[in-house]
Amino acid sequence: MSADGPRLDGKVAVITGAGRGQGAAEARLFVQAGACVVITDVRAEEGRAVAAELGDAAVFVRHDVTEAAGWETVTRTAVASFGRLDVLVNNAALWRTAPVDTETEESFALLLRVNLLGPFLGIKAVVPELRTAGGGSIVNISSTAGLKGLPGHAAYGASKFGLRGLTRSAAVDLAGDRIRVNSVHPGVIDTPMVAGALGPERGERDHPRVPLRRIGRPDEVAELVRYLASDASAYITGAEFAVDGGLTT
Ligand code: NAD
């Protein structure tokens, strides 16, 4: 993680699903860059541990992104703890795969709820506070599965393509309020989400399908998210950024 790079001094961010993986890496980098963060997750133990590690600049709220009422608690906590809200990172998600013909209605509906409805509820919840702050940045974590068709990704891919579409439409709706909305599309990143699929060798292994020949690290996604949260990206909205080692080129 680089100590240099865009600063986030005075900014307050909500990062969903930040108890582990990329969200936790983003919380750490944001605080290092001068921000205060509200960490949310359904994994209370992990979320509390990340917040404790970050001290006074972080608080944890146990929250399921599909719960609209809980979103009010999240935004209220941000303002009560740190006085304002500037940034939302819609990071929380579930990953499951199955060929389209054997995918179940239950699993398809669940992935759409968590990966697409959740970010939508988050956007609705934070917009009033972002307006009060005079503008802000919303970063939606999609996937390379939101850029191209992948085997077994009917449900997850539909949710991540949907999040990409939500990003573009929200960017247009909110531009007048100086609220920017962009999507990030990670490739294969070494986190607990995909650990089972990658096996024990993970990052060490040569990954011939990836032009950069390796899988990515959570902090490499966090660097991009920090940039999009910061004023360094002030003229960027409705845009899509792959961080995938060249996988989708
Ligand atoms: P992860 O599983 O390590 O972390 C995701 C976090 O989200 C977990 O802590 C989990 O408890 C939380 N979460 C799940 N459902 C939730 C809910 N309903 N409410 C609140 N929190 C919930 O995964 P990660 O790799 O860090 O994923 C971060 C983001 O990156 C996700 O949007 C994921 O889809 C995306 N992504 C990951 C990869 C990858 O290879 N790891 C690739 C492309 C995109």
Side-chain angles (χ1 to χ4, degrees), residues 74-155:
V74 171
T75 53
R76 236 186 298 117
T77 302
V79 176
S81 306
F82 305 120
R84 55 189 287 133
L85 183 57
D86 307 273
V87 176
L88 168 65
V89 182
N90 274 316
N91 166 78
L94 292 177
W95 181 61
R96 291 181 182 181
T97 57
V100 66
D101 54 327
T102 58
E103 183 59 274
T104 65
E105 184 179 338
E106 289 72 24
S107 191
F108 191 88
L110 175 66
L111 261 59
L112 284 186
R113 274 187 70 76
V114 175
N115 300 359
L116 183 54
L117 178 68
F120 164 71
L121 294 174
I123 292 171
K124 278 178 73 77
V126 302
V127 160
E129 290 305 335
L130 266 49
R131 281 193 182 123
T132 302
S137 171
I138 297 171
V139 184
N140 293 326
I141 308 300
S142 177
S143 169
T144 47
L147 294 172
K148 59 181 288 198
L150 296 174
H153 280 69

Side-chain angles (χ1 to χ4, degrees), residues 178-192:
R178 290 199 292 169
I179 298 170
R180 301 181 294 105
V181 193
N182 293 290
S183 61
V184 165
H185 300 260
V188 186
I189 308 297
D190 191 357
T191 72

